[in-house]
């Protein structure tokens, strides 16, 4: 699977700063990186190429139209009439942002609420404005059982020393899904859908050693919101909580904390340190931005 997006020079810088520089540069490239499930290469022309099983998902995180280079596969592995079943879905936000939390949410959408949520306009949170996200989050919370894990930067930084980011995400998804299952017991969903960020085998390997691992009727799909509204609902809930945390952190910082990991983020981080603020409280320190900030302050 491949996807290509076209970006501005500033966006190219932002994308380059997000990923580790761990691959040899092809001709014409300004950065090349390999992470779980996808290889990312950015070119001087402004094109960014994503290759691998998670190419479309990773390209979609940048909110820029992508051009798929292979047709979307038919989801023949999902149960019949999947979009209208009672499904427990999960998604996370904040993985590509230097400032702010990693926020993971799970939402159970009963079959009789599916059409209602669709009518309300529940869809991928990346396609919604912040006010609309907050409005829809309230509507979802009133109709559907949910659980959120809003992992603050300080806690994220402690855990990322023990796990890689994909493993940490797996742990968060498993946690929130189990929490919702406990809330709705003895009711059980027809299926469980996780917005895919790694292959299923890798996901379950990451969870080895956990006391409880959710395995029955669990499915993984890139762009999970296109298969069931439960994933879209989880995306919206996660985004709403993340926005609230970002607003609080901005208040504590005394300045607006930008989204992403580009040069603007670096400048704000430098201001924070000069103001005597501890970056551990505001940022995910394993990002390349931290090294840039330290170099700038020498």
């Amino acid at each position: 699977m491949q996807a290509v997006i076209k970006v501005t020079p500033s966006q190219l810088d932002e994308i380059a700063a997000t990923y580790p520089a761990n691959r040899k540069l092809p001709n014409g490239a300004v950065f090349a990186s390999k992470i779980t499930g996808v290889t990312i290469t950015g070119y001087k022309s402004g094109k960014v190429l994503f290759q691998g099983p998670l190419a479309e998902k990773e390209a979609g995180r940048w909110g820029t139209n992508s051009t798929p280079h292979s047709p979307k596969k038919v989801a023949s592995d999902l149960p019949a009439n999947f979009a209208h079943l009672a499904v427990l879905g999960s998604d996370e936000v904040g993985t590509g942002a230097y400032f702010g939390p990693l926020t993971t949410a799970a939402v159970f959408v009963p079959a009789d609420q599916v059409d209602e949520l669709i009518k309300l306009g529940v869809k991928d949170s990346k396609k919604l404005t912040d006010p609309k996200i907050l409005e829809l989050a309230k509507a979802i919370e009133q109709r559907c059982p949910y659980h959120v894990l809003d992992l603050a930067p300080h806690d994220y930084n402690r855990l990322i020393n023990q796990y890689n980011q994909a493993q940490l995400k797996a742990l968060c998804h498993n946690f929130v899904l189990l929490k919702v299952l406990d809330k709705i017991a003895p009711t059980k969903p027809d299926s469980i859908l996780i917005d895919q960020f790694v292959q299923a085998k890798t996901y379950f390997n990451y969870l080895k050693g956990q006391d409880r691992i959710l395995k029955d009727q669990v499915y993984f799909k890139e762009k999970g919101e296109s298969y069931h509204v439960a994933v879209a609902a989880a995306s919206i809930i996660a985004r709403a909580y993340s926005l609230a945390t970002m607003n609080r952190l901005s208040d504590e910082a005394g300045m607006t904390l930008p989204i992403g990991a580009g040069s603007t983020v670096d400048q704000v981080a430098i201001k924070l340190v000069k103001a005597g603020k501890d970056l551990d409280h505001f940022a995910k320190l394993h990002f390349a931005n931290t090294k840039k900030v330290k170099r700038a302050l020498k």
Side-chain angles (χ1 to χ4, degrees), residues 114-224:
V114 169
D115 289 340
E116 178 68 16
L117 292 189
I118 292 173
K119 288 179 182 177
L120 287 171
V122 173
K123 58 183 178 181
D124 183 10
S125 67
K126 293 188 290 294
K127 299 178 180 179
L128 300 169
T129 63
D130 289 354
K132 190 63 177 179
I133 285 171
L134 298 177
E135 175 190 329
L136 288 174
K138 290 181 180 178
I140 294 165
E141 290 169 356
Q142 292 169 356
R143 292 167 171 80
C144 302
Y146 69 96
H147 194 85
V148 180
L149 178 58
D150 197 38
L151 198 61
H154 172 75
D155 295 320
Y156 177 96
N157 292 329
R158 174 175 54 83
L159 291 169
I160 207 68
N161 290 323
Q162 304 174 48
Y163 312 105
N164 65 49
Q165 192 184 67
Q167 185 174 12
L168 182 56
K169 286 162 65 173
L171 292 167
C172 291
H173 277 261
N174 187 62
F175 178 82
V176 295
L177 288 166
L178 286 170
K179 284 292 187 181
V180 177
L181 276 184
D182 289 342
K183 289 179 181 181
I184 66 176
T187 299
K188 292 184 178 181
D190 296 320
S191 295
I192 295 161
L193 182 61
I194 296 172
D195 195 54
Q196 186 171 4
F197 53 93
V198 290
Q199 296 299 314
K201 181 179 179 180
T202 303
Y203 175 87
F204 289 119
N205 281 338
Y206 282 152
L207 296 179
K208 285 182 178 178
Q210 299 301 303
D211 292 336
R212 296 173 65 193
I213 300 175
L214 188 57
K215 289 185 176 181
D216 293 339
Q217 299 297 314
V218 177
Y219 299 91
F220 300 83
K221 289 294 176 187
E222 298 175 45
K223 297 187 177 180

Side-chain angles (χ1 to χ4, degrees), residues 19-293:
Y19 301 107
N22 56 11
R23 288 183 66 83
K24 184 178 179 180
L25 292 179
N27 291 335
V30 294
F31 77 88
S33 178
K34 182 174 178 60
I35 60 175
T36 303
V38 61
T39 298
I40 308 102
T41 309
Y43 293 89
K44 296 176 183 178
S45 63
K47 288 185 178 180
V48 183
L49 171 64
F50 298 80
Q51 297 171 291
L54 301 182
E56 284 193 53
K57 177 179 175 62
E58 195 66 28
R61 291 188 182 280
W62 295 100
T64 304
N65 291 332
S66 64
T67 304
H69 286 247
S70 62
K72 192 170 186 178
K73 294 180 180 178
V74 177
S76 57
D77 57 322
L78 295 177
N81 199 36
F82 185 81
H84 295 280
L85 297 181
V87 170
L88 171 57
S90 63
D91 198 2
E92 89 289 329
V93 301
T95 56
Y98 182 59
F99 290 122
L102 171 64
T103 310
T104 312
V107 177
F108 173 58
V109 179
D112 62 1
Q113 287 295 325
V114 169
D115 289 340
E116 178 68 16
L117 292 189
I118 292 173
K119 288 179 182 177
L120 287 171
V122 173
K123 58 183 178 181
D124 183 10
S125 67
K126 293 188 290 294
K127 299 178 180 179
L128 300 169
T129 63
D130 289 354
K132 190 63 177 179
I133 285 171
L134 298 177
E135 175 190 329
L136 288 174
K138 290 181 180 178
I140 294 165
E141 290 169 356
Q142 292 169 356
R143 292 167 171 80
C144 302
Y146 69 96
H147 194 85
V148 180
L149 178 58
D150 197 38
L151 198 61
H154 172 75
D155 295 320
Y156 177 96
N157 292 329
R158 174 175 54 83
L159 291 169
I160 207 68
N161 290 323
Q162 304 174 48
Y163 312 105
N164 65 49
Q165 192 184 67
Q167 185 174 12
L168 182 56
K169 286 162 65 173
L171 292 167
C172 291
H173 277 261
N174 187 62
F175 178 82
V176 295
L177 288 166
L178 286 170
K179 284 292 187 181
V180 177
L181 276 184
D182 289 342
K183 289 179 181 181
I184 66 176
T187 299
K188 292 184 178 181
D190 296 320
S191 295
I192 295 161
L193 182 61
I194 296 172
D195 195 54
Q196 186 171 4
F197 53 93
V198 290
Q199 296 299 314
K201 181 179 179 180
T202 303
Y203 175 87
F204 289 119
N205 281 338
Y206 282 152
L207 296 179
K208 285 182 178 178
Q210 299 301 303
D211 292 336
R212 296 173 65 193
I213 300 175
L214 188 57
K215 289 185 176 181
D216 293 339
Q217 299 297 314
V218 177
Y219 299 91
F220 300 83
K221 289 294 176 187
E222 298 175 45
K223 297 187 177 180
E225 69 279 352
S226 65
Y227 294 93
H228 199 282
V229 72
V231 173
S235 172
I236 289 169
I237 293 288
R239 183 70 65 185
Y241 273 75
S242 179
L243 285 171
T245 300
M246 283 294 287
N247 287 337
R248 175 178 59 78
L249 289 174
S250 291
D251 288 342
E252 293 172 2
M255 62 189 80
T256 299
L257 301 180
I259 302 297
S263 56
T264 301
V265 168
D266 296 338
Q267 296 307 311
V268 172
I270 291 169
K271 290 180 182 178
L272 279 174
V273 175
K274 287 183 175 180
K277 304 290 185 179
D278 185 359
L279 279 181
D280 180 61
H281 183 69
F282 300 96
K284 302 179 184 74
L285 298 182
H286 71 106
F287 277 45
N289 303 77
T290 303
K291 291 182 179 179
K292 293 180 181 180
V293 172

